Amino acid sequence: MENEYIRTDEVTEVCLLAGKIMLQNGAETYRVEDTMTRIAAAFGILHSHSFVTPTGIIFSIDGSETTRLIRVSERFTNLEKVAVVNDISRKISEKKLTVQDACERLKEVEKTKYSFPVWVQIIAAALASGCFLIMFQGKWIDFLPAVITGGVGFCALLYFQYLVEIKFFAEFVSAFIIGLLAFLLVMSGFGHEIDKIIIGAVMPLVPGLLITNAVRDLMAGHLVSGISKGAEACLTAFAIGTGIAVVFSII
C-alpha cells in the first residue's frame, strides 16, 4: 500500500511538472489537460482529473487523498519546450520512460533555455518588421526605416520587460518609442510613409499566439481560460495602441 501511494505521488509530480512547463511556455489550456491525463493513463492511472487556468493547475487522482495545486505566475512564448514535453509524453505512452526517468527529463527541460540569443531575436524582429511593411503594401524605400524602427522597438520591449515587472508597461513604452522613432525618420526624410512603418514595426509586439490560444480554448469549451486569455490579448493590444496614440497626440 505504501509503494502504491509513493508511485501515485510520483505520477502526480510528473503530470504537474509537464503541465506547468507547457502552460508557462504558450500551450493551449485543453492541450495541457489532455497531456496530463494521457501521462497519468500511461502509468496505469485511468481516473485522473485536471483543471487548468492561465494562472494555475489543479490535479487529482481518484482514490488519492491529496489534490495538488500549482500556481503559474510567469508565462512566456517558447514553443520548443512545448514540443519537447509533447515528445516526452509520447515516449511515456509508448512505455519507453519510467516515472523516475520522465521526472528527470522534465526537470532538465524546465532548467534548459531553448530560446535563441537576444541579438538573434532582435535581428529577427527587425527583419520581420520590414517584411510586414511590404506585406501591408508599403514601399521598398521604407524597408530599412521599418527594420530600424522594429529592431529598436523590440529591443526596448526586452529591456523594459526585464527592468519593470508591471504588466503591459513594456508594450506601452515600446510602442511609444516605435511611434516616436518612425516620426523622426519621416521628418528627417529617411522614411516616407509613417503609417506603414509603424504598422510593420509594431507587429512583433502583437500577441498573436495569445489570441490564437484564446480562440482555440473557447472552441474547445474552456470558457474561463479562453475569456481570460482574450482579455489579456486585448489589454496588450490596447497598450500598444495607446503608446502610438500618445506619440500622435504630442506631435
Side-chain angles (χ1 to χ4, degrees):
M1 189 71 177
E2 183 179 354
N3 291 336
E4 183 66 24
Y5 173 76
I6 293 174
R7 185 175 182 278
T8 301
D9 190 59
E10 290 175 345
V11 172
T12 301
E13 182 180 359
V14 170
C15 293
L16 284 172
L17 187 55
K20 177 185 176 183
I21 295 172
M22 294 182 70
L23 188 62
Q24 279 185 330
N25 291 279
E28 307 94 320
T29 300
Y30 74 89
R31 189 182 299 276
V32 175
E33 292 186 353
D34 181 67
T35 300
M36 295 171 67
T37 302
R38 289 177 182 273
I39 291 175
F43 287 128
I45 300 175
L46 302 179
H47 302 287
S48 62
H49 307 277
S50 60
F51 180 73
V52 179
T53 69
T55 56
I57 301 174
I58 301 174
F59 185 79
S60 67
I61 297 173
D62 285 352
S64 175
E65 298 179 357
T66 304
T67 297
R68 297 279 300 276
L69 167 66
I70 286 184
R71 173 77 175 177
V72 178
S73 56
E74 296 181 346
R75 294 182 298 279
F76 317 97
T77 300
N78 192 333
L79 298 183
E80 179 69 19
K81 282 195 174 186
V82 177
V84 173
V85 174
N86 282 333
D87 183 62
I88 293 175
S89 174
R90 283 190 290 269
K91 290 181 178 179
I92 292 173
S93 299
E94 295 169 358
K95 309 297 182 183
K96 294 181 179 179
L97 292 175
T98 63
V99 178
Q100 292 78 14
D101 293 336
C103 188
E104 291 177 3
R105 292 279 299 274
L106 289 170
K107 287 180 179 179
E108 291 177 3
V109 174
E110 187 178 28
K111 295 178 182 178
T112 305
K113 292 184 178 180
Y114 288 90
S115 58
F116 290 99
V118 174
W119 65 271
V120 175
Q121 297 181 40
I122 294 173
I123 292 175
L127 293 175
S129 299
C131 293
F132 276 120
L133 175 132
I134 301 302
M135 189 180 74
F136 288 107
Q137 299 180 352
K139 298 179 180 178
W140 279 101
I141 197 172
D142 286 328
F143 182 84
L144 188 57
V147 168
I148 296 173
T149 306
V152 173
F154 191 78
C155 185
L157 176 70
L158 296 178
Y159 175 73
F160 284 105
Q161 282 180 340
Y162 172 78
L163 187 67
V164 182
E165 295 184 356
I166 300 176
K167 191 70 174 174
F168 311 115
F169 178 78
E171 288 84 354
F172 169 78
V173 177
S174 301
F176 177 82
I177 292 174
I178 286 173
L180 185 61
L181 183 57
F183 172 75
L184 293 176
L185 290 174
V186 171
M187 289 296 295
S188 65
F190 187 60
H192 295 80
E193 295 180 307
I194 187 172
D195 56 335
K196 298 296 192 302
I197 295 174
I198 290 176
I199 291 172
V202 299
M203 287 305 294
L205 311 183
V206 174
L209 179 65
L210 195 61
I211 296 172
T212 302
N213 287 350
V215 174
R216 295 189 68 176
D217 281 338
L218 286 172
M219 293 176 66
H222 292 262
L223 302 181
V224 174
S225 297
I227 293 173
S228 60
K229 288 181 180 179
E232 184 178 355
C234 289
L235 288 174
T236 302
F238 177 77
I240 296 171
T242 302
I244 300 298
V246 169
V247 174
F248 278 97
S249 65
I250 293 175
I251 62 177

